[in-house]
Amino acid sequence: MDASSREALRGVRERLTELTRPASGLLERARDRLTGQERAATDEELVALADELFAVGHLLDGQVTLRRALSDPSASPADRAGVARRLLSGRVSGATLDLVETAARQRWSRPLDLVEATETLATDAALDAAETRGELDGVEDELFRFGRIVAGDAELSRILSDRSAPAAGKAELLERLLSGRVSPITAMLLRNHLTGRSVGNAENAVERLSEAASTRRGQSVARVTTAVPLSDAQERRLAELLGRLYNRPIGLQVVVDPDVLGGLVIRVGDEVIDGSIAHRLEAAGRRLVG
């Protein structure tokens, strides 16, 4: 996304917060009138909101004309919101309709940015639900572990990354892989992100979800590759050192890979710290050749 779409996304995410936090949103107003008390949205309401937003995102992903109509810069914001209202009124909850109308009023650089924004809102709502249930740590761990499964299975990665593969077939495959093994929120996130037309590389898509969950927990992620498993004490020490280096909490996601031979490869965002023996041997070889 460029600056215009990022600003639009910021606006609709703020609206999501207004709708789902105490004393602000549609989800709680009905009960407020009955009880006189403020409350945040329940986990069930947040899950339902996420499910509807994902459905809207899939609709926009598959309907080029519709997403262009909702992001057409030549139409007024009110007209674009009216298109959303006529399409969705009575078919989705008030909160979902409010968010889609809010998104339609924004200025998007590309119609596909509107699709991405809707999926981002759905992901935020799902992670809100996980946080409300006290499951956020578990969801992050399940996403990371599934990402490792995808990375280690070339055929699975190929199928899930194939934009031309039928969404129903991918959904059925994911159901077989995930049913009874992960939480419903983890399954919702993976199913919706990996069956879209613009999924791209499946491993990267799952990694972005895992990072979103970690960010929600208030920490960055360090992906650590090591030749041998680290002890709990070693992981704690490494997390402390990285936290001091980056001046923020760092969570570790550790992958064992004998190919690094020894040492560690650490990636935080786009920055890589390669202290592996394999890297040192490769560098020594380059120097000898030079």
Side-chain angles (χ1 to χ4, degrees), residues 139-193:
V139 167
E140 181 192 352
D141 185 62
E142 289 169 350
L143 291 169
F144 171 68
R145 292 180 185 279
F146 188 74
R148 291 299 89 208
I149 291 172
V150 173
D153 189 325
E155 181 63 11
L156 177 61
S157 179
R158 183 193 66 78
I159 293 171
L160 293 176
S161 302
D162 185 356
R163 289 185 173 92
S164 64
K170 286 185 181 181
E172 184 179 345
L173 173 60
L174 289 167
E175 176 65 20
R176 292 201 304 269
L177 292 172
L178 301 174
S179 181
R181 296 179 175 88
V182 300
S183 74
I185 291 176
T186 300
M188 169 191 282
L189 288 167
L190 290 171
R191 182 178 64 255
N192 282 285
H193 278 271

Side-chain angles (χ1 to χ4, degrees), residues 98-271:
D98 186 296
L99 287 166
V100 178
E101 286 189 37
T102 300
R105 291 190 183 96
Q106 310 303 310
R107 185 173 185 85
W108 303 96
S109 302
R110 304 180 309 147
L112 280 174
D113 288 347
L114 176 59
V115 179
E116 183 180 341
T118 306
E119 292 175 347
T120 298
L121 290 175
T123 300
D124 286 348
L127 292 176
D128 281 344
E131 189 170 18
T132 301
R133 292 178 175 179
E135 297 177 356
L136 193 54
D137 287 6
V139 167
E140 181 192 352
D141 185 62
E142 289 169 350
L143 291 169
F144 171 68
R145 292 180 185 279
F146 188 74
R148 291 299 89 208
I149 291 172
V150 173
D153 189 325
E155 181 63 11
L156 177 61
S157 179
R158 183 193 66 78
I159 293 171
L160 293 176
S161 302
D162 185 356
R163 289 185 173 92
S164 64
K170 286 185 181 181
E172 184 179 345
L173 173 60
L174 289 167
E175 176 65 20
R176 292 201 304 269
L177 292 172
L178 301 174
S179 181
R181 296 179 175 88
V182 300
S183 74
I185 291 176
T186 300
M188 169 191 282
L189 288 167
L190 290 171
R191 182 178 64 255
N192 282 285
H193 278 271
L194 294 176
T195 58
R197 293 171 181 263
S198 57
V199 59
N201 181 278
E203 182 183 349
N204 291 343
V206 180
E207 183 176 313
R208 287 192 296 271
L209 280 174
S210 179
E211 289 177 349
S214 183
T215 300
R216 180 59 60 91
R217 292 176 57 210
Q219 62 181 18
S220 298
V221 175
R223 301 185 182 278
V224 181
T225 305
T226 173
V228 296
L230 302 179
S231 68
D232 290 344
Q234 287 173 321
E235 289 193 14
R236 285 195 299 271
R237 177 61 175 161
L238 179 59
E240 291 170 2
L241 290 171
L242 291 172
R244 288 201 292 270
L245 176 64
Y246 289 96
N247 197 33
R248 60 182 184 269
I250 299 289
L252 302 185
Q253 294 183 344
V254 180
V255 176
V256 176
D257 182 359
D259 287 343
V260 302
L261 301 181
L264 301 172
V265 180
I266 302 170
R267 180 162 66 86
V268 180
D270 295 329
E271 185 173 351

